[in-house]
Amino acid sequence: MSADRKFFVGGNWKMNGSKEAINGILQFLNDSKVPANTDVVCAPPMVYLPYVKERLQSGMQVSAQNCYKVASGAFTAETSPAMLKDLGVDWVILGHSERRHVFGETDELIGQKVKHALDEGMKVIACIGEQLQERENGLTEEVVFKQMKAIANNVNDWSKVVIAYEPVWAIGTGKTASPEQAQEVHARLRAWMSENINPAVGQSTRIIYGGSVNAKNCQNLGSQADVDGFLVGGASLKPDFITIINARC
Ligand code: PEP
């Protein structure tokens, strides 16, 4: 973490929830105080975005979990950034590993989505991360740099982008990257941005970690120099999320 980069915690609810379950989540979210200098952004399933936005405390923001790369047209079941903006939703998660590996989204498509979302005035949580075999074969850097490049080629305004480093082997598995493993990749990503974009972008862009973050491991992970917050899946549905948003307090 750095004093210059505002701590950022996103909650990715994935395809979970019902009005009843969401009411329970809203209760602990709305009972909590957002720590100073922290962004908290919750991403419910698309269909519940208005329900959550209308009821969530003003100290927290909402995000979509995905969007499409054009404004409107014959793209059944897709949602455009223009529609999200129309609902007052300013954030979108793009390139999540489940979108990449379950739904086959390519670097190219993710880049196009990033470009269009930013052009439409949205803020983007752009996800990257290697699979287990890639890590075991020593390919982590190569993989995350390639994913980063596909995103970076489509960004004009880095103040609107948060990078989420989420090793695929750590997502929803209970296997967390160690603080040292996370720090190592975050530092390399920051150096990549400094070299390939410019030093100011490298220094100011928030790089958050995701992958089985919980109430127990969040403090150690969050105390690493280049870890600027978290993208949280499973634990974002539980009161543990409040401990996580307070990880650096
Ligand atoms: C995620 O969905 O982005 C994620 C990191 O999930 P989990 O925290 O459950 O590993």
Side-chain angles (χ1 to χ4, degrees):
M1 74 183 175
S2 146
D4 311 336
R5 298 187 294 269
K6 195 173 179 185
F7 202 62
F8 184 104
V9 183
N12 175 15
W13 298 5
K14 312 196 190 201
M15 197 177 72
N16 292 298
S18 60
K19 277 197 203 168
E20 194 186 350
I22 287 172
N23 288 342
I25 296 170
L26 285 168
Q27 193 157 354
F28 67 73
L29 291 177
N30 290 342
D31 282 349
S32 72
K33 196 167 170 293
V34 176
N37 205 25
T38 302
D39 282 324
V40 178
V41 179
C42 298
M46 198 72 86
V47 71
Y48 291 117
L49 269 171
Y51 187 83
V52 173
K53 183 166 170 49
E54 279 159 24
R55 291 164 179 80
L56 187 64
Q57 63 153 299
S58 61
M60 297 182 180
Q61 303 170 75
V62 290
S63 173
Q65 297 174 13
N66 188 24
C67 68
Y68 199 49
K69 62 175 180 175
V70 295
S72 64
F75 302 103
T76 300
E78 292 294 332
T79 305
S80 71
M83 292 168 181
L84 294 169
K85 291 287 285 181
D86 196 30
L87 293 178
V89 176
D90 292 330
W91 284 96
V92 62
I93 299 172
L94 290 172
H96 189 275
S97 82
E98 286 144 22
R99 298 303 315 172
R100 291 176 185 269
H101 302 298
V102 181
F103 298 98
E105 292 195 8
T106 59
D107 276 345
E108 188 189 6
L109 176 60
I110 293 159
Q112 290 166 337
K113 288 183 175 196
V114 166
K115 180 171 184 351
H116 181 62
L118 291 171
D119 285 351
E120 292 285 306
M122 296 206 68
K123 295 183 257 192
V124 172
I125 303 164
C127 306
I128 58 177
E130 82 287 2
Q131 299 186 72
L132 183 58
Q133 212 175 358
E134 293 166 335
R135 174 164 281 263
E136 287 175 349
N137 290 336
L139 297 173
T140 299
E141 257 184 48
E142 191 179 312
V143 170
V144 296
F145 287 175
K146 182 168 171 282
Q147 293 169 336
M148 262 300 284
K149 188 169 176 352
I151 291 162
N153 286 345
N154 289 287
V155 175
N156 282 327
D157 182 354
W158 281 92
S159 70
K160 302 272 171 54
V161 178
V162 171
I163 297 294
Y165 168 59
E166 300 203 299
V168 179
W169 48 272
I171 298 179
T173 58
K175 248 195 220 173
T176 320
S178 67
E180 295 73 25
Q181 284 174 320
Q183 168 58 26
E184 186 184 15
V185 179
H186 284 224
R188 297 271 162 83
L189 287 168
R190 198 175 299 293
W192 187 94
M193 283 193 270
S194 293
E195 281 160 29
N196 293 279
I197 306 163
N198 66 58
V201 166
Q203 184 51 36
S204 61
T205 302
R206 289 172 292 181
I207 307 176
I208 61 174
Y209 168 79
S212 297
V213 175
N214 60 37
K216 287 205 181 106
N217 59 28
C218 61
Q219 277 197 341
N220 278 341
L221 284 161
S223 65
Q224 300 301 305
D226 290 292
V227 174
D228 303 313
F230 305 112
L231 185 56
V232 185
S236 70
L237 303 166
K238 300 188 262 183
D240 286 21
F241 190 64
I242 305 306
T243 308
I244 297 169
I245 69 175
N246 283 284
R248 72 164 198 187
C249 295

